[in-house]
Structure formats: C-alpha cells, structure tokens
Amino acid sequence: MNFKEEINKLKKEKNAIILAHFYQTPEIQDISDYIGDSLGLSQEAAKTNADIIVFAGVLFMAETAKILNKNKKVLLPDIEAGCSLADSCGYENLIEFKKLYPDHIVITYINCSAKVKTLSDIICTSSNAIKIVESFSKEQKIIFAPDKNLGSYINNKTGRNMVLWDGSCQVHDMLTIENVIKLKNKYPEAKIIAHPECKGQILGIADFVGSTTALLNYTTIDKSKEFIVATETGIIHQMKKNNPKKEFYVVTTDESCSCNDCPYMKINTIEKLYNCLKNEKPKIVLSDELIEKAKKPLLKMLEISK
Ligand code: 13P
Ligand code: SF4
C-alpha cells in the first residue's frame, strides 16, 4: 500500500491535520502538516481548525493537544508511546513532594502527564524555560519538575536555586561527556550542540544549547560546516534537508547501537499512523474536569510565549 497517498486522501476526507515532533521517523516527518518542538506543536494545536489532530509524537504531547482542543478528536498512532521523563513524576509523588515545600510554586516541563499538569502553576518547554522562570521574581521559591538536567541548566543560567525533581530523559541522560569528546577529537572543527535534557557536563562544553527547533535553526544560521549533535537522532533528518552541504555527527554511547533513538517516539510507524487515521483510534480521552485544571498552567505558558 502507498501509505503516503492513502494518508493524504484520508486527511482531506476527514479534515485532519498531522502534527509531528522532530524525533519521529523521516517518513512520518515528511507526511506531516507541521513538524516542530514541543512549544511549536502546542501553539499549532491551539490554533488549528482541523476536526481531527493526529499527533505523531508521544502521549504527553497528544494529551496537551487534547487539553487545548476539548471538542476535537486527538489521535496517537500508538497509545504505548510514553516518555521516561513523564513517567518519572507520578501525580501522588508530586503531591507529597509539594508538601515538603509549601511556600514554593511549581513549574513543570511539558514532558509530564495531564494529571501532573493540574499540580503546576505554569508549564514550560525547553524553548521557553528560561523566559518562564524569569517571569517570576528572584525571591519566588520554585519547584522545577520533572527534568533535573534542564532544571539545573536553568539554575545556572538564571542564578536561581529552584528545587529540582529527580527525573531525566532516558535518551539524553545516557550520553556522556566522553562520548562527546571522542567525536570532538575526531572532528575538531565541528561545533557541539546539545539539548538541555543532556547532563550538565555536556551542556557546559557545548557551543550552543537549545530546544530541537533552536538546534535546527542554529545549524542553518551558523557558518560552521560540521556539527556534533547531542540529542535524539530524528532531528538529523531536518538538519540534513535544510543544510545538504553540512555534516552532522550524532553523539551515541556506542557507535554500533541506536541507543539515542527514543523507543517511545520511534514506536510510531507510518502504518500505525495510517490505521489510526482510518479507524480514528487510539483516541485521547480526558475528563472535562482534568482538561479544565490542566489547561490553566498551559494557557499561562502560551500567553507568556507569544
Ligand atoms: P523539544 O522538542 O521541545 O526540544 O523537546 C524534546 C523532547 O525531548 C521531546 O520529547
Ligand atoms: Fe521522553 Fe526523552 Fe523520549 Fe523525549 S526523548 S519522549 S523526553 S524519553
């Protein structure tokens, strides 16, 4: 079957839109209506006129799209597409944690469940995290959850002392400074660029740190011809497309493994995407009460990010 043709037909018939994250397979990225980072995707989800949103990404992203579109159908090609970072922060555990810091507000990274969002004062993504934190006074006490690497990066950049939840992304947290240095020795002219979910040591030596969109833009704007890329492999597809004459070296833990392919992102396939659009399932279902509560901190974020 020609999935591309069939998906395009179904999209028209059903007034559907496909939103994809940069960590999806090239095949999925190429059939999408919009590809972006978590902020771009939520902004796009907030303004679409489509009746159906197919979210080629992971559960917390599809939930975010549903929270912003209560009356629309939001589909996820594989409902098992979770996230180790979101899973590291349970709802009940965060309630207990908050009790230890009663005078703190809670800023949560968008990589968390819809239920955890209801415990948050405001949400942030990797592209607006510093702006969101700095929207509060220096005196404001803050709990930052669930990514400790992003949290400590923001603490360093802003001089804050946020209390950090002990969570991390299994893909980014596995990359080590030794893996990066090995590549730098091999390609001394290459610029090191890293996602803020990486460990602090890597962020400390990186020439540029940013969200997936920011990393992609940097590779296009910067004059360098070579880049050492410390993030998930999916982003390389757009980097190569935008910069066919530049070279990209992905940081891995071991050259023979595909350990920095996110197993959750890559569980989606073009066939699952086709089936999900055809059968209109798996569908994201959240109660009205949950949507109303989780929407408040998300809208606050979108307002500040305009
Ligand atoms: P961004 O695309 O927002 O940088 O997030 C990366 C990520 O880990 C998504 O799961
Ligand atoms: Fe979660 Fe990391 Fe996968 Fe992103 S790359 S979905 S943060 S496990």
Side-chain angles (χ1 to χ4, degrees):
M1 180 187 301
N2 184 333
F3 288 118
K4 197 174 167 188
E5 250 175 54
E6 295 302 315
I7 289 171
N8 279 331
K9 252 192 251 163
L10 285 171
K11 251 182 7 188
K12 274 200 196 113
E13 261 170 53
K14 298 182 184 232
N15 186 28
I17 186 174
I18 301 176
L19 305 182
H21 189 265
F22 288 122
Y23 296 163
Q24 293 295 291
T25 62
E27 234 184 339
I28 293 182
Q29 290 187 35
D30 289 345
I31 194 136
S32 301
D33 298 287
Y34 178 85
I35 319 167
D37 66 3
S38 308
L39 178 64
L41 287 163
S42 48
Q43 286 168 328
E44 205 60 29
K47 68 177 190 212
T48 183
N49 291 321
D51 296 313
I52 296 179
I53 300 171
V54 182
F55 215 112
V58 292
L59 183 63
F60 75 81
M61 295 178 169
E63 281 186 343
T64 301
K66 181 68 187 173
I67 293 164
L68 297 169
N69 291 283
K70 189 174 142 182
N71 297 321
K72 289 184 179 159
K73 223 174 238 180
V74 178
L75 309 172
L76 182 64
D78 191 319
I79 206 71
E80 298 297 320
C83 167
S84 68
L85 188 47
D87 292 347
S88 76
C89 190
Y91 175 73
E92 301 295 339
N93 295 341
L94 186 56
I95 289 179
E96 291 308 309
F97 195 73
K98 278 178 75 166
K99 285 182 191 159
L100 302 175
Y101 305 96
D103 53 352
H104 288 51
I105 60 150
V106 181
I107 302 182
T108 51
Y109 189 33
I110 198 162
N111 300 38
C112 64
S113 68
K115 273 181 91 178
V116 162
K117 286 186 176 69
T118 68
L119 301 174
S120 315
D121 292 278
I122 189 162
I123 308 299
C124 72
T125 74
S126 55
S127 68
N128 61 18
I130 291 180
K131 194 174 180 185
I132 299 286
V133 170
E134 289 192 324
S135 71
F136 295 94
S137 75
K138 280 234 176 222
E139 291 68 45
Q140 177 65 59
K141 294 176 178 171
I142 300 171
I143 293 173
F144 187 85
D147 190 23
K148 62 179 176 191
N149 290 338
L150 174 62
S152 87
Y153 174 71
I154 304 168
N155 274 345
N156 286 337
K157 283 274 163 195
T158 63
R160 309 272 169 141
N161 187 24
M162 300 187 296
V163 174
L164 307 181
W165 181 268
D166 187 14
S168 62
C169 158
Q170 72 180 59
V171 179
H172 292 88
D173 203 44
M174 211 166 41
L175 306 177
T176 65
I177 187 145
E178 288 79 15
N179 305 141
V180 178
I181 289 171
K182 222 158 106 186
L183 279 172
K184 184 71 181 172
N185 287 338
K186 205 165 163 190
Y187 307 106
E189 298 303 316
K191 288 256 175 84
I192 300 169
I193 60 172
H195 193 278
E197 288 172 20
C198 289
K199 287 190 172 86
Q201 277 187 324
I202 294 180
L203 303 178
I205 62 159
D207 295 291
F208 182 76
V209 175
S211 76
T212 49
T213 296
L215 294 176
L216 177 61
N217 291 342
Y218 183 80
T219 59
T220 306
I221 294 161
D222 193 78
K223 300 237 175 327
S224 308
K225 295 269 175 285
E226 297 174 291
F227 297 89
I228 294 168
V229 185
T231 190
E232 211 267 0
T233 53
I235 189 75
I236 301 297
H237 180 56
Q238 296 299 326
M239 287 179 174
K240 280 191 177 153
K241 259 179 129 172
N242 291 3
N243 307 284
K245 292 194 174 137
K246 296 186 179 180
E247 295 295 332
F248 302 96
Y249 313 113
V250 188
V251 180
T252 47
T253 48
D254 153 5
E255 274 159 37
S256 64
C257 85
S258 54
C259 12
N260 55 339
D261 269 330
C262 170
Y264 304 105
M265 286 282 182
K266 296 295 190 317
I267 202 175
N268 294 324
T269 61
I270 194 92
E271 186 171 0
K272 286 180 191 173
L273 198 155
Y274 163 76
N275 285 327
C276 125
L277 184 51
K278 183 166 165 258
N279 305 319
E280 299 187 14
K281 62 178 188 192
K283 189 170 77 179
I284 303 297
V285 182
L286 300 173
S287 73
D288 285 356
E289 195 194 345
L290 180 53
I291 287 178
E292 285 319 310
K293 282 190 187 158
K295 200 171 170 178
K296 282 186 195 149
L298 262 172
L299 291 182
K300 273 194 206 162
M301 172 190 84
L302 291 175
E303 187 54 38
I304 292 181
S305 309
K306 268 183 189 163

